[in-house]
Amino acid sequence: RSHLVYEETATMIAAGELQSFVPFGREHCRNHPNAFNLQLRELQPASELWSSDGAAGLVGSLQEVSLQEREREWWQLRKGCTGVKEEEVMFEEELYAAGNVVVWSQGSRTQASSVYKAFTVDSPVQQALWCNFAVLQNNNDEEVEQTICIVQSSCINVHTVTGKDFISPLPFQVSNVWATKFGLLLERKISLPYILFYREPLPMVFSMLHPLDEIAPLVSTVHYMSDSTMKIVFTCCQPSILVSYDTVQGTHTVWALRKVTHDVVLCLLSPLQCVRTISGPTVLFYPLCPSSSCALSSPKHYNVLRSNPNRAVTSSPGAHSRVHSPNISNMAALSRAHSPGMAAPSFSGASRFNTSFHSPSSRGHHGLLSSPNSTVNETVLPPEMEPIVPDLCVEQLWTETVAMSSQASKVFITSDLCENRYLCFLVESHQQLRCVKFIESNESSQLIFPSVTTISAKDAAPLQNIDAMLVLEACGSLVLYTGITRVSKVFVPGLLSPSFSLSNQRPQISTPVESVSTPANGVNRHIQRLSEDFMPSPVSEPKGLNNKHHEASFFEDHIFQQATPCIHGLRDPVCNRVTLVSFFSFNIVQIFIFFWMFSVQKCLQAIRFILPKDAAMKVLVKWYNIYNAPGGSSAHAEWSLFVTCFMTLMGYNTERLAWTRHLHFEVPLSPVIAAKKARHSAQGSEEDWDYLLASRYHRQIISQPASSPGSSLKLESSAPLFPHIPALFYVLHLLYQELQLDELHRAKASSLVCVLQQLARDLQLEEYVDLYWRDYPSVMSGFSKCCSIDHAVIEQMQRPSFLLSKPPCVFSWLSSCLRGDENTPFPYLPAICQRTRLLVLSYALYIFGDDKATSSSESKYLFKLSAGMFYWIQSSVKVRFSSASLAEQLVVWLASQGFTLKDLESVPFGVALPIREAIYRCREQPCSDWSEEVCLLIGRQDLTKQAHKMTLAKSKSVSSGLSLEPPVATEPDEEEDGMSDIIQEVTGLIWSQDLRIQEVRRLLRSSGPVRVSVVQLPEVSDHEYIEEKENKLLQLCQRTMALPVGRGLFTLFSYHPVLTEPLPVPKLNLTGRAPPRNTMVDLNSGNIDVPPNMTSWPSFHNGVAAGLKIAPASQVDSAWIAYNKPKSPELANEYAGFLMALGLNGHLTKLATLNIHDYLTKGHEMTSVGLLLGVSSAKLGTMDMSTTRLLSIHIPALLPPTSTELDVPHNVQVAAVIGVGLVYQGTGHRHNAEVLLSEIGRPPGPEMEYCTDRESYSLAAGLALGMVCLGHGSNLIGMTDLNVPEQLYQYMVGGHRRAQAGANRERHKSPSYQIKEGDTINVDVTCPGATLALAMIYLKTNNRSIADWLKPPDTWFLLDFIKPEFLLLRTLARCIIMWDEILPNSEWVKSNIPQIMRGNFDASEDINMETMAQAEDYITAGACMALGLRFAGSANSDAFDCLYEFARTFMKMMPFAGTAAVSAVLFLEVVLLQRSPCRGVMSSSSFLFSLSLCFLFLMMFIFLPIRYTISTSNSAIAALLCALYPHFPAHSTDNRYHLQALRHLVVLAAEPRLLVPVDVDSLKPCYALLEVSYKETKWYNETTVELMAPTLLPELHLLKQVKVKGPRYWELTLDLSKETHHLKSILSQDGVLYVKLRAGQLPYKDDPQGWKSLLTTAVNHRSSGVTAFKPETISTFTSNPALISFADFFCKTSEGMKHRKDTHMFSAMLYECVTQECPEMLPTYIAIEQAVSALQRGDLQQTFPLWQLRLVVDLWDSRMLRGPANSHNTLLKSEFLPVMKNAVDVALDGWLKDSSSVLRSYMWNQVLSKDAQSIMLACFLVYRSVPCFRSTQLKSKTGWKHLSSPIFSAAQNALRRDRGLVSPI
């Protein structure tokens, strides 16, 4: 009888509805503007051709279009993988090619198809495919670049998804191109004449790793792939394999494809080296290729093989170019991408690939064989050439043992439901599908092929999403396979079965080309198309036509085909959909995916995990057949269907089990699990009844004897799963425990428990039965029937060793953990019971205190269940750590496991309480550098937004959504002044009491006319009055021309440009308005003399100011930079400054090399200066070689002695010298240091070539030398012989000039014919540069010996020999060398003055008082400048007071960046508007320009734009020395002593240190109190100060900690003692630090003194009299809409709510959650209250709430046992929990007093009733943790008396522990 029940029956599953398919690219090509008429005729239906062109048109088109042209239509589908994650959006991609057009489209079931990219090429497309190329990045990581490759006859067009285009010429004809993991494989097309012509075998397969790479031959171990009989039929990326077919032997071979190793290359070249060594310099000659196959090369190029044993392999040109090609320069990439000729790889001709790379034979020495088309003299010997080093190699893995007469037409990889993988190849001639199973060895690169299975098939296609494949059998049936296991036939609605079709013959058509019809377009639409047999596919070449058709009309057979379509092919499988190919149509059919309900899916995973693979496969196949049967059940009956299937497979008769008979089915299902074969109809018929009577199920039921209800039930031992019942029961029990931990799926646990209790009863596992009864007493009380198992067959059951009598209960395990008891490891199923693992380890970490629980100690708490052996690990855990650190470890680990707040909400409230407690602790004191996932988990929105911003910045390297937006300017004048991007929200918070920003903006505005106020005296004529006004305007213009320098720093990095718009540059307005009539005053009237080129450098500064606005995070590219180039030559100076500014903010690195070359070749001096300084600044300290070569061209000293002298302007040379210092800053490069040292004292040339402005060049050389050796001091490695300090000292004090050494000896051999300097050094030229170079080399080294060199002389005689400005530089240099001795007081400043100046003067001495005064002033100014550099950006009040006093005398001050008092602003305004006399011979206008520039520097440091301040790093000090050289220009074109462009290098010293708090809710800047802790130094101890942000932070290396201080905002600590990267990244972006207000607090702006917040402190205070508040005040504490709605609906005592008694309780809960700022605890409070109320009412149907209450009480007790001091650590701090606990105790105690007999019946193992008493008993047992006693056999009164004592003592102990109350039983 049993063999009838489990006999496999023919089954059938239903597929989705048929959908007609027409490639989207075909319709797009029809409307393509570049489509040719030929292509349109080709793709147009015959009916349309006939109607449009008539008969003549149709005949003509048939004559014009050949068969090969029609075969050019081709398409391919794949799963969408571009742009979005696969799990987010499911869509398909289509690649369509027809003629010269390729269309890449995307579409999905919910969205219509659209063109993603379309391409039109020059010649017909031979093949199109997707391919991914790996591009090596600068950090040696490979980035995958997605491309589409279009193969033409002479080249391959490669287009990336990012917009890059490449053209790779082909050196030979290609038959096929394949995409691999590494790039492309190219198969050479070889014809018969080609084979006859070449006697040596030629390489047949080549690889191309990148479109810019040279193609290289593919090698196999030690030989080139030169076998012309081998054809590639398939390639795969994962695993990296290829399949080939040998046309001679008729076998398929699988090869592993990998990158070539160095050893393989040596093996390939070693035979050539041996021949070279033995035979001497032998030249090998090879014939040239035919001209037909070398379309891009001349036949005159000879190619032979060069073998040189002394040359390394890497010297091959091919190898060298390939290694560096991914990092090729922009110039090369641009040239290759846009020019087919230049895009050719670096081989000398296509014939290079026609050279045999095998060992030369004797016939290779006979001579040169001429090419058939060669015209070269045969006696000319060709040059030698090296072989191309291969990139990829293949290794043979498997070869067929049985030869096939034809190659595979289709190859694919599929997998089955048990994760076995198969390589399948279809041989159509044999109608066989060969499935080769392969597995990966321990080494992932090695594959093992253990078995081969053959399936009869006409065609097949893999279905990736369901781990199956669809097979078309020879009879025309569709069959679903999973791996090599047959699942069932597939029923396709609308497609008749082949057995019912009228004819299986092929259609009869009269045309020579098979046509295709689209059913969606009806009968009247016929499109000329060809079937799959002659379409080029990705795995085979286009086939010839099979013209075995009967003579019949096309239209005669069409109607028949519409009625009975016949499938003859499958193609384009995507996910679970496949295209059915019939003779006249393409239809898409969908095979249903395994979208089962969660509980069924989990059960199947557990079954597959524990069963052997063959048994698991049977179960899965059987279930899939039942679930997808035609007319199958709906989703809501799925569980019932699964239970019946599962129980039957284990041997149960589900019709005789009471609980399975009541399962609801939408359609009837028999125990034989044979589904109906057709969809049922709503109306029955007699045929249905007759079918049922004739069914096997009916005969089986008739043959079975009727069983009485009381008879015993037996399990069928022949059932497939009968031997595995114990193992299946145990894994389902673990799954049951997993479902108990998920509130969303806990309802499914009650369904699963029915199956488990039946299995537990049959296996006689009493404790398991008791556990299920305790969990669901109302459900389990009615189950009593067991199925007996014969003892004869019980040995067939495989009882696993891990199935113990005591059931694992996760709630009991967690409760024991909270009580501190030792536990055995809890079992779990890997990848199935993930929540069990997560929570068990969380408790072990947080409750036990084992910080290694999640790593090395995991086996102490968990063991992984497997089908094999199992071992226990007993251990006791006594490790304890601090709670704070454990909480942090827990939340970080949970976040790393993907655990989120959404997951926490689904955890039962009792289990989740410790995790919530840990989260609450971390919320109070979080780490600032936690990831976004951790911040989301702890519920800190401010940290989450900050972390999200950091993640965006790292991934995109762009500005990550600035919340601080600049104001939108409305007035025209504001749009033109260039300062409208200042963020007023932040400046309004920093300077809220005045309008200083607006005043500074007014002072720096240069775009408007100035006011020229001149009073006309009576004696002054009108003409003289006009001249007087113009002279006045000329003086004012000196100030206007200096304004851009200050404006550039005021607006520094404050603007993000729009790439479609040019950068707005404010005008430099040099006109004026004269009151009272506001008449125009202009300098172009000719009344006064205006200096020529007066506006050249001011325009340059204006361009720099405009460019400095661009933020470094902006998206700027080379095209936008070139787009901003002005067309007017008058604006060339502005554009030169713009280029320099782009270098200062780092964007000039994006400028293409071609553009740089174009700008430099123009010969424009300003452009060259700006470009060289900009490029050098962008490459600061990188030693970039390309930049070095660029600079060396402009410096004669860096050129070879024999090089041609270039006419380089002097200013360009100065800029280039400074550029060398910038590029090599801090590197100590010897050669550059040697050259720069000699250039300081460069003598004037004999022909006056170096005679003008020598001072600026010498200064530039000194500054550059100082930057190269910056801060090295005496540690100048490798420069001892140069004597750098001594040489610099000689340049500083004078002496005999040393002879020039090296390459410059001949250049400076002849003295100058115009300047007589003799043999001595001109210190007036060399002293400034040498002094500053010495200062920068020994910067901050505190080298007293060098500092003593720089002391001012101590005698009047020696003082007379030193210019006063040199005294300033020496004092400055000495002070910054002795950096640590600088003190912020006037005493230190005066200590730098020599003693002879501070004492009394002897009247008898001849002392020049003016000289003495100048010397003292300059020494004081140098000391003040050093003081400003030392305390720049420090906000040191002592330094400010000291410098402010000296500033009244010397109008040179630079103390603070970004901090200054109002008095300083007023002082600067008075100075800027005042014209004071000056000692010296300067004119008033010249002095005004110098004075304006000087004080603009002062003001731009004070108002350095909001976010930026000055750094005191070595690099910053060097930049400041270059920018603030204390010799300002006398007029606007003065560059004699210092190049004006260097003033802008001050940007390199600026660093962002502004911290702006932004409220995370309103996203507006706000005030926040910061607590800044300084590190301990030798000047002061560790100290803490409070700052009100927004504020500028001190330098980060001085700080220990920055903390957002309460009580208004959540605290946040930035610990700088560990690392400063996090804070630096915050400051470098926009300085935004997100903060969040606490409950009941108001911002400082709304409540400065905190008086309004005092209204909430009384409520927030933990007073005993306040336990709730009015619902109306909830908005004061929180803005959470859920809490506000809860207060409105449940806490208000309205008329309709007066009868409710829980209103006050809800109000108290809300009060507790809101005041403690843990609103997520409100559901926990409500759940506890509901559980207690249900217990009191007796309404509980399950004990799950009591389990949770038990866990909450255990956690509370564990906290209380530690003492009252630890009570603050728990979330439940009020009296709420003790009240609830007492209510539970009272309810259970009262029940125990009244119902002691129920407990006695339970202990006697008697049958319990279904009433509420049994439910209360289960609640009592669970809550009191009473162990199970039902396994004890109580057979007599003696036994009862004997056991009663321990039983009741256990119950009494539980009571005493909780209440101290003993039951009076």
Side-chain angles (χ1 to χ4, degrees), residues 95 619 1721 1804:
L95 192 60
V619 176
M1721 284 298 295
W1804 275 88

Side-chain angles (χ1 to χ4, degrees), residues 1173-1247:
L1173 289 177
V1175 172
S1176 303
S1177 301
K1179 299 289 186 179
L1180 184 67
T1182 61
M1183 293 198 299
D1184 184 70
M1185 290 307 300
S1186 61
T1187 308
T1188 303
R1189 289 191 291 266
L1190 185 69
L1191 297 171
S1192 300
I1193 297 175
H1194 301 85
I1195 304 176
L1198 290 177
L1199 295 176
T1202 59
S1203 61
T1204 305
E1205 293 187 4
L1206 303 176
D1207 186 16
V1208 181
H1210 175 77
N1211 289 338
V1212 177
Q1213 293 187 33
V1214 173
V1217 169
I1218 292 291
V1220 172
L1222 292 172
V1223 174
Y1224 287 85
Q1225 187 182 88
T1227 61
H1229 194 272
R1230 176 191 163 88
H1231 175 66
N1232 288 329
E1234 181 181 3
V1235 172
L1236 294 173
L1237 181 64
S1238 63
E1239 288 299 288
I1240 295 177
R1242 182 179 71 172
E1247 302 295 337

Side-chain angles (χ1 to χ4, degrees), residues 869-921:
M869 296 301 295
F870 160 75
Y871 56 92
W872 290 92
I873 300 179
Q874 297 284 356
S875 63
S876 59
V877 181
K878 301 295 182 183
V879 186
R880 296 286 177 181
F881 294 93
S882 63
S883 298
S885 62
L886 291 176
E888 292 181 2
Q889 291 180 47
L890 177 61
V891 296
V892 171
W893 179 75
L894 286 175
S896 67
Q897 299 297 312
F899 192 77
T900 62
L901 280 178
K902 187 177 180 180
D903 298 325
L904 184 60
E905 292 175 359
S906 63
V907 178
F909 66 88
V911 179
L913 192 58
I915 300 178
R916 293 191 183 278
E917 183 182 280
I919 288 175
Y920 183 74
R921 293 185 190 180

Side-chain angles (χ1 to χ4, degrees), residues 804-910:
L804 302 181
S805 59
K806 184 177 180 181
C809 177
V810 65
F811 291 147
S812 178
W813 195 96
L814 298 177
S815 178
S816 301
C817 182
L818 291 172
R819 294 196 301 267
D821 300 337
E822 294 184 5
N823 281 327
T824 57
F826 194 85
Y828 84 105
L829 303 175
I832 300 174
C833 300
Q834 287 300 319
R835 178 156 294 190
T836 302
R837 172 183 175 272
L838 202 71
L839 294 175
V840 167
L841 294 182
S842 299
Y843 272 64
L845 171 63
Y846 186 65
I847 302 300
F848 275 145
D850 187 0
D851 61 344
K852 298 181 180 179
T854 58
S855 56
S856 59
S857 301
E858 182 175 340
S859 59
K860 297 180 181 179
Y861 310 99
L862 289 169
F863 68 82
K864 294 181 180 180
L865 200 66
S866 63
M869 296 301 295
F870 160 75
Y871 56 92
W872 290 92
I873 300 179
Q874 297 284 356
S875 63
S876 59
V877 181
K878 301 295 182 183
V879 186
R880 296 286 177 181
F881 294 93
S882 63
S883 298
S885 62
L886 291 176
E888 292 181 2
Q889 291 180 47
L890 177 61
V891 296
V892 171
W893 179 75
L894 286 175
S896 67
Q897 299 297 312
F899 192 77
T900 62
L901 280 178
K902 187 177 180 180
D903 298 325
L904 184 60
E905 292 175 359
S906 63
V907 178
F909 66 88

